[in-house]
Coordinates of all heavy atoms in Angstrom, one line a residue:
N126 N -23.6 16.0 -0.9 CA -24.8 15.9 -1.7 C -25.4 14.5 -1.8 O -26.5 14.2 -2.1 CB -24.7 16.5 -3.1 CG -23.6 15.7 -3.9 OD1 -22.8 15.0 -3.3 ND2 -23.6 16.0 -5.2
K127 N -24.5 13.5 -1.5 CA -24.9 12.1 -1.5 C -25.0 11.4 -0.2 O -25.6 10.3 0.0 CB -24.0 11.3 -2.5 CG -24.0 11.7 -3.9 CD -23.1 10.9 -4.8 CE -23.1 11.3 -6.2 NZ -22.1 10.5 -7.0
G128 N -24.3 12.0 0.8 CA -24.2 11.3 2.1 C -23.4 10.0 2.0 O -23.7 9.0 2.7
Q129 N -22.4 10.0 1.0 CA -21.7 8.7 0.7 C -20.2 8.9 0.9 O -19.7 10.0 0.6 CB -22.1 8.4 -0.8 CG -21.3 7.1 -1.3 CD -21.8 5.9 -0.6 OE1 -23.0 5.5 -0.7 NE2 -20.9 5.2 0.0
F130 N -19.6 7.8 1.3 CA -18.1 7.8 1.4 C -17.6 7.0 0.3 O -18.2 6.0 -0.1 CB -17.7 7.2 2.7 CG -18.2 7.9 4.0 CD1 -19.4 7.7 4.5 CD2 -17.4 8.8 4.6 CE1 -19.9 8.3 5.6 CE2 -17.8 9.5 5.7 CZ -19.0 9.3 6.2
Y131 N -16.4 7.4 -0.3 CA -15.8 6.6 -1.3 C -14.3 6.3 -1.0 O -13.7 7.1 -0.2 CB -15.8 7.4 -2.7 CG -17.2 7.5 -3.3 CD1 -18.1 8.5 -2.9 CD2 -17.5 6.6 -4.3 CE1 -19.3 8.6 -3.5 CE2 -18.8 6.7 -4.9 CZ -19.7 7.7 -4.5 OH -20.9 7.7 -5.1
I132 N -13.8 5.2 -1.5 CA -12.4 4.9 -1.3 C -11.9 4.4 -2.7 O -12.6 4.1 -3.6 CB -12.3 3.7 -0.3 CG1 -13.1 2.5 -0.8 CG2 -12.6 4.1 1.1 CD1 -12.8 1.2 0.1
R133 N -10.6 4.4 -2.8 CA -9.9 3.9 -4.0 C -9.6 2.4 -3.9 O -9.1 2.0 -2.9 CB -8.6 4.7 -4.3 CG -8.8 6.1 -4.7 CD -9.3 6.3 -6.1 NE -8.3 5.9 -7.1 CZ -8.5 6.1 -8.4 NH1 -9.6 6.6 -8.8 NH2 -7.6 5.7 -9.3
I134 N -10.0 1.7 -4.9 CA -9.7 0.3 -5.0 C -9.0 0.1 -6.4 O -9.6 0.3 -7.4 CB -10.9 -0.6 -4.9 CG1 -11.5 -0.4 -3.5 CG2 -10.5 -2.1 -5.1 CD1 -12.8 -1.3 -3.3
A135 N -7.7 -0.2 -6.3 CA -6.9 -0.3 -7.6 C -7.0 1.1 -8.3 O -6.7 2.1 -7.7 CB -7.3 -1.4 -8.4
N136 N -7.5 1.1 -9.5 CA -7.6 2.3 -10.3 C -9.0 2.9 -10.4 O -9.3 3.7 -11.3 CB -7.0 2.1 -11.7 CG -7.8 1.1 -12.5 OD1 -8.7 0.4 -12.0 ND2 -7.5 1.0 -13.8
S137 N -9.9 2.5 -9.5 CA -11.2 3.1 -9.5 C -11.7 3.6 -8.2 O -11.2 3.2 -7.1 CB -12.2 2.0 -10.0 OG -12.2 0.9 -9.1
S138 N -12.7 4.5 -8.2 CA -13.2 5.1 -7.0 C -14.6 4.4 -6.7 O -15.5 4.5 -7.6 CB -13.4 6.6 -7.1 OG -12.2 7.2 -7.4
R139 N -14.7 3.8 -5.6 CA -16.0 3.0 -5.3 C -16.6 3.4 -4.0 O -15.9 3.8 -3.1 CB -15.6 1.5 -5.3 CG -15.0 1.0 -6.6 CD -14.7 -0.5 -6.6 NE -14.0 -0.9 -7.8 CZ -13.7 -2.2 -8.0 NH1 -14.0 -3.1 -7.1 NH2 -13.0 -2.5 -9.1
P140 N -17.9 3.2 -3.9 CA -18.6 3.5 -2.6 C -18.0 2.6 -1.5 O -17.7 1.4 -1.7 CB -20.0 3.1 -2.8 CG -20.2 3.3 -4.3 CD -18.9 2.8 -4.9
A141 N -17.7 3.2 -0.3 CA -17.1 2.4 0.8 C -18.2 1.5 1.4 O -19.3 1.9 1.6 CB -16.5 3.4 1.8
T142 N -17.8 0.3 1.8 CA -18.6 -0.6 2.5 C -18.8 -0.1 4.0 O -18.0 0.7 4.4 CB -18.1 -2.0 2.5 OG1 -16.8 -2.0 3.1 CG2 -17.9 -2.5 1.0
R143 N -19.7 -0.7 4.7 CA -19.9 -0.4 6.1 C -18.6 -0.6 6.9 O -18.2 0.1 7.7 CB -21.1 -1.2 6.7 CG -21.4 -0.9 8.1 CD -22.5 -1.7 8.6 NE -22.8 -1.4 10.0 CZ -22.2 -1.9 11.0 NH1 -21.2 -2.7 10.9 NH2 -22.5 -1.6 12.3
S144 N -18.0 -1.8 6.6 CA -16.8 -2.1 7.3 C -15.6 -1.2 7.0 O -14.8 -0.8 7.9 CB -16.3 -3.6 7.0 OG -16.1 -3.7 5.6
S145 N -15.5 -0.7 5.7 CA -14.5 0.3 5.4 C -14.7 1.6 6.1 O -13.7 2.2 6.6 CB -14.5 0.5 3.8 OG -14.3 -0.7 3.1
I146 N -15.9 2.0 6.2 CA -16.2 3.3 6.9 C -15.9 3.1 8.4 O -15.3 4.0 9.0 CB -17.7 3.7 6.7 CG1 -18.0 4.0 5.2 CG2 -18.0 4.9 7.6 CD1 -19.4 4.1 4.9
S147 N -16.3 2.0 8.9 CA -16.0 1.7 10.4 C -14.5 1.7 10.6 O -14.0 2.3 11.6 CB -16.6 0.4 10.8 OG -16.3 0.0 12.1

Side-chain angles (χ1 to χ4, degrees):
N126 63 343
K127 297 181 180 179
Q129 177 69 58
F130 299 86
Y131 287 84
I132 57 173
R133 290 287 291 185
I134 299 178
N136 62 349
S137 62
S138 301
R139 302 181 185 180
T142 62
R143 182 180 181 279
S144 60
S145 297
I146 297 170
S147 177

